[in-house]
Amino acid sequence: MVVLQDIEIGYGDQAIARCVGNIAFAKAKFITIIGANGTGKSTLLRSLASGQHILNGKIALNGRLIQQIDVHERAQSIAILTTERSLSQSLTVLQLLEISRSPYTNLLGKIQASDRVVIDYVLTHFDLESLASRQLNTLSDGQLQRALIARSLVQETDYILMDEPTSHLDIHHKAELLIKLKNYCTEHQKTIIFSTHEIAMATSLADQIVYFNQGNIRFKTAADFKEKNILEQLFPSPFLQWNGGDYKLKREI
């Protein structure tokens, strides 16, 4: 279990968000992070992954402070998909996924049969088989995004952190991806924690919701979140009318 305890996150000595009390992320949950731009969603994900932006308080993984866990051991427990794309463009999709099995391969990085099973499963279930031999620099933005998502999944960790996983995807593939990720959580007993601006889709599928409101990090079940109509507080707008996790235009423009 991952537990946040009275954390304050930020950069240097500048705090951008805080959580009073404890927030616990159990296994096999699909959890979305919602908030306006610049409120700290990406910073929270990076703090969960390594503890690097924690100014005060604690984040613990199975009772141990996240900063005190060896990097190799952390890589077997937590995977992270960021919005950065600084990787070798000459790699093929298959090579990218093979490299991502490094927390489990031997010193020579040799792929074993067990690694191949994991890679083949992700290639098949996330529709990447036809792209396996393609170099990353030949992929569209959407195809590359799907390959990067697959990279985080083949790491086969209990916790998978994703920053805007649906970016670069059209609306059909956004919905398809979120449904597949939700099913993946259930079938494999993994927890996925992801930030998104696809609010209606995410709140329809999420088990729990982390949200940023006036510098505070809050946590609710999806049912409680919708019942209290919290989105109206997070995104006040003269143009939008909120209803639970959905919205419509107040008037035509």
Side-chain angles (χ1 to χ4, degrees), residues 3 9 27-28 30 35 48 56 84 91 94 100 104-105 151 188 213 250:
V3 178
I9 57 175
K27 283 186 63 176
F30 197 51
L48 288 168
N56 288 297
E84 298 168 2
L91 288 173
L94 180 58
S100 300
Y104 308 99
T105 55
R151 176 177 67 168
H188 297 272
N213 188 9
K250 288 183 177 178

Side-chain angles (χ1 to χ4, degrees), residues 46 81-91 96 136-149 151 163-169:
R46 291 190 178 95
L81 166 73
T82 69
T83 55
E84 298 168 2
R85 295 188 167 195
S86 54
L87 41 83
S88 174
Q89 295 294 305
S90 62
L91 288 173
L96 176 69
L136 301 184
N137 59 8
T138 70
L139 302 180
S140 69
D141 284 340
Q143 289 170 333
L144 178 58
Q145 184 69 4
R146 285 162 49 209
L148 295 175
I149 289 165
R151 176 177 67 168
D163 198 359
E164 295 288 346
T166 58
S167 63
H168 305 290
L169 302 180

Side-chain angles (χ1 to χ4, degrees), residues 107-148:
L107 293 175
L108 299 176
K110 185 175 176 60
I111 295 294
Q112 307 292 327
S114 58
D115 301 307
R116 190 66 60 198
V117 168
V118 175
I119 291 170
D120 289 347
Y121 174 89
V122 173
L123 285 171
T124 300
H125 285 77
F126 288 83
D127 302 321
L128 289 167
E129 288 178 296
S130 63
L131 302 178
S133 61
R134 293 265 301 273
Q135 289 185 319
L136 301 184
N137 59 8
T138 70
L139 302 180
S140 69
D141 284 340
Q143 289 170 333
L144 178 58
Q145 184 69 4
R146 285 162 49 209
L148 295 175

Side-chain angles (χ1 to χ4, degrees), residues 39 104 142 154 187 205 211 229:
T39 51
Y104 308 99
V154 299
E187 292 171 12
L205 293 167
Y211 62 98
N229 229 15

